[in-house]
Amino acid sequence: MNFERINEIAQTLFQQVLASVTELGFYLQLLAVVLTLGLAWALSVKIKHAVDVRLQSVTRNQSWLAQPLEVVKGLLLPVLALMSLGLLHAALQQSGLDYEVVKIAFSLLLIVTLFIVIHQYVNHVFVAVMLKWVMMPTAALYLLGWLDQTVVFLESLAFQVGDIKLSVYAVIRLLVFGSILFWLGRISNRYGQQIIRNKQNLDVRSREVFAKLFEISLFLVIFLLLLNAVGINLTALAVFGGALGVGIGFGLQQIASNFISGLIILLDKSMAIGNYIELEDGKAGVLKKLNMRSSSLQTYDGKMIVVPNERFITSAFTNWTHDDPRQRYTLQFSVAYDSDIPAIPELILNAVKQHPQVLLEPELPDCEIVEFADSGVVFQLEYWIEGIDDGRNRVGSDLLMIIWKTLHDNDIAIPFPQREVRILKDE
């Protein structure tokens, strides 16, 4: 960095300030500023009193006036002070007198007023930060006439990285433009994907493919614009692309594989958002997100399973609701051997069909004998429902209760293991 340049600017600024404070005009302007601000304060007190009286008289029908009047009270003093200093600045300028102190006071007061407005009325964090720490300092330097000198000074603060020379100004510009571009990119991506996903003339999988391609294209354009904004020659991207290819071939191989696998999943229509997926290891859940690197399965107990996209390409998985959300389930129960066995299937089927979630298509519920066990006769109930029999859609528990109640009402015993022990006496 050029420390001699920094020292020279500091000495020049110090000499200018020292020369100003030794002149009579400086103190006369300072007195005029103080009197003007005092007049604005006195006027604001009277107006605030009138506003308070008006607020006390606001009725329910006029309640909409309360909030604007409170805003007026909060901004009254700085606005009146700005107007007063603006009039003083114009009067001194028209009369040909020196007005530098008044100009500085007006600029500082304007910055303070903007800071108050941003702090109280701007709720978005990113917008508030950019306005406070980027736009306001830039506006202050512009109003004071120091913007060009500041840019030149920041350009002089440079350091060398190999063959590339970077200045503090270039770094600041990169950070500011990068933050704004990526913020706008996130907003555009969210609304763009929402518009694409609302296109009902496309199927769900096609909408997801186009939404993902839109996201990739958008951030690629933002990246190129950012490089162009900071003055990087885009022809250098050819070298960068070669280096990136080598990086993908080694360190980024897994990331690239997951990214490509995600596109394949969307294009081959093997699964879509909302499908119930079961992995080879038994973990299962509803597919909630399909991102560039991974997919998210939400279980019925609220857990989120993050699965790399490559796993869906290289290993087997079960898609329970791929083409048809209807599923068939089975339940088993036993009855005692002395029961009326032929009558049981009809009793159970008539009771089970009354459940609102049991479907009559594609097949009717079926009840049949599957085993003559040690303690009783085992029946199996087969039924179809819409979706997965778990979570809020739990049906199996209801049907077991229906089976128990039906058997109980018809005096049919549910057997339990019994053993007969005989004691043989030695004669």
Side-chain angles (χ1 to χ4, degrees), residues 4-56:
E4 294 182 358
R5 175 62 176 167
I6 298 174
N7 186 40
E8 180 184 347
I9 293 175
Q11 289 182 356
T12 303
L13 183 61
F14 176 76
Q15 293 295 333
Q16 291 178 351
V17 172
L18 185 63
S20 299
V21 298
T22 56
E23 296 179 357
L24 179 61
F26 171 82
Y27 296 99
L28 291 177
Q29 291 181 68
L30 190 60
L31 178 61
V33 169
V34 172
L35 292 176
T36 303
L37 293 178
L39 179 62
W41 175 80
L43 185 60
S44 69
V45 170
K46 290 187 176 182
I47 298 177
K48 282 183 179 180
H49 177 70
V51 172
D52 288 333
V53 173
R54 183 71 182 93
L55 281 172
Q56 293 175 359

Side-chain angles (χ1 to χ4, degrees), residues 229-354:
V230 297
I232 296 178
N233 189 358
L234 297 183
T235 56
L237 289 179
V239 179
F240 175 75
L244 181 62
V246 176
I248 291 176
F250 290 96
L252 303 180
Q253 180 180 4
Q254 202 69 26
I255 297 176
S257 176
N258 286 320
F259 171 72
I260 296 172
S261 298
L263 291 179
I264 293 174
I265 290 170
L266 291 172
L267 291 171
D268 70 0
K269 302 180 180 181
S270 59
M271 61 183 192
I273 301 298
N275 287 163
Y276 188 82
I277 308 296
E278 183 178 357
L279 304 175
E280 262 188 324
D281 57 6
K283 295 179 180 178
V286 178
L287 183 63
K288 289 294 184 180
K289 293 180 182 178
L290 185 56
N291 298 319
M292 296 174 64
R293 187 192 66 84
S294 61
S295 301
S296 299
L297 304 178
Q298 186 176 30
T299 63
Y300 284 111
D301 55 359
K303 296 181 178 66
M304 192 69 73
I305 304 173
V306 179
V307 185
N309 290 331
E310 184 185 18
R311 187 170 175 182
F312 294 109
I313 303 298
T314 59
S315 61
F317 65 92
T318 303
N319 191 338
W320 286 65
T321 56
H322 181 250
D323 294 321
D324 192 344
R326 296 175 297 182
Q327 308 294 325
R328 192 183 75 165
Y329 291 91
T330 61
L331 292 174
Q332 289 189 350
F333 63 95
S334 300
V335 299
Y337 275 102
D338 58 358
S339 304
D340 186 2
I341 302 300
I344 290 175
E346 185 177 358
L347 288 173
I348 297 301
L349 290 175
N350 289 336
V352 165
K353 289 178 183 178
Q354 304 305 314

